[in-house]
């Protein structure tokens, strides 16, 4: 008998909204989480077919001396040439999707969180059973990212402009966690969502 695929909750939000922080709280309650940013790094680790394909397309100049992919160099190349971005995405997206699906299937829990920063931008809503948006006023987002990533306010603003608007993201949400205060104030809401996701997972497998 094949094992049932877990109920998938896509977690999204703008940069610095608190996706990682909130997911960690769910994990403390026992929920598994797949971080697609992490998966994106795994599929181009040294020795992977993903890295070989990227080097084929971009040349050995995208490799660092230690054999790791030079992500900064790749970012510069795709920024300068939009066609290269499409090529890179054509290589990486199927690999990321496959590896994510495999990790979700192996999670061994009724539901699984999948953190997808650009879920709304990429129209990924159809690949998840439910969308949880971590919401935060732009001023709070900016202040947190300036500290975390040592960026200036204009640098953070440029990243935020390249992402979906707060309104578009909220429009795609089934559930919203407002993360502008202390994380402790969110814990009861996180616990309630955790219970709800277990219940929803139970309903779909019945
Ligand atoms: P994301 O994964 O959405 O980019 P993070 O979870 O990394 O966001 O949060 C961005 C930064 O803000 C991190 O340094 C994190 O520790 C901090 N942070 C997140 N939520 C809170 C909160 N409720 N109170 C204080 N700091 C927070």
């Amino acid at each position: 008998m094949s094992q049932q695929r877990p109920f998938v909750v896509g977690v999204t939000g703008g940069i610095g909204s608190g996706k990682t922080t909130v997911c960690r709280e769910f994990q403390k309650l026992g929920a598994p989480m797949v971080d697609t940013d992490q998966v994106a790094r795994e599929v181009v680790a040294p020795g992977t077919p993903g890295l070989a394909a990227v080097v084929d397309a971009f040349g050995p100049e995208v490799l660092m001396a230690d054999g790791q992919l030079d992500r900064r160099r790749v970012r510069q190349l795709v920024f300068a040439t939009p066609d290269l971005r499409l090529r890179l995405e054509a290589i990486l997206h199927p690999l990321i999707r496959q590896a994510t699906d495999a990790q979700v299937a192996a999670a061994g829990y009724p539901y699984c969180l999948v953190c997808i920063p650009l879920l709304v931008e990429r129209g990924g809503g159809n690949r998840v059973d439910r969308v949880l948006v971590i919401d935060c006023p732009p001023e709070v987002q900016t202040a947190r990212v300036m500290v975390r990533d040592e960026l200036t306010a204009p640098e953070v603003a440029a990243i935020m402009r390249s992402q979906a608007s707060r309104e578009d993201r909220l429009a795609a949400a089934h559930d919203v966690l407002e993360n502008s205060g202390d994380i402790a104030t969110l814990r009861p809401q996180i616990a309630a969502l955790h219970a709800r996701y277990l219940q929803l997972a139970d309903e779909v497998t019945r």
Side-chain angles (χ1 to χ4, degrees), residues 13-22 144-145 148 179-183:
I15 183 168
S17 56
K19 298 177 290 296
T20 312
T21 307
V22 167
R144 286 179 182 160
V145 176
R148 185 192 64 185
N179 182 33
S180 54
D182 199 289
I183 192 72

Side-chain angles (χ1 to χ4, degrees), residues 54-65 68-70 73:
V54 172
V55 173
D56 256 1
F58 288 73
E61 62 178 292
V62 296
L63 284 178
M64 298 192 291
Q68 302 267 351
L69 184 64
D70 186 343
R73 181 82 191 110

Side-chain angles (χ1 to χ4, degrees), residues 10-46:
V11 180
T12 195
I15 183 168
S17 56
K19 298 177 290 296
T20 312
T21 307
V22 167
C23 283
R24 232 177 266 137
E25 293 297 322
F26 276 97
Q27 286 178 299
K28 286 184 198 164
L29 301 174
M33 192 263 281
V34 178
D35 176 354
T36 55
D37 276 349
Q38 171 72 26
V39 173
R41 286 189 289 274
E42 288 167 7
V43 298
V44 290

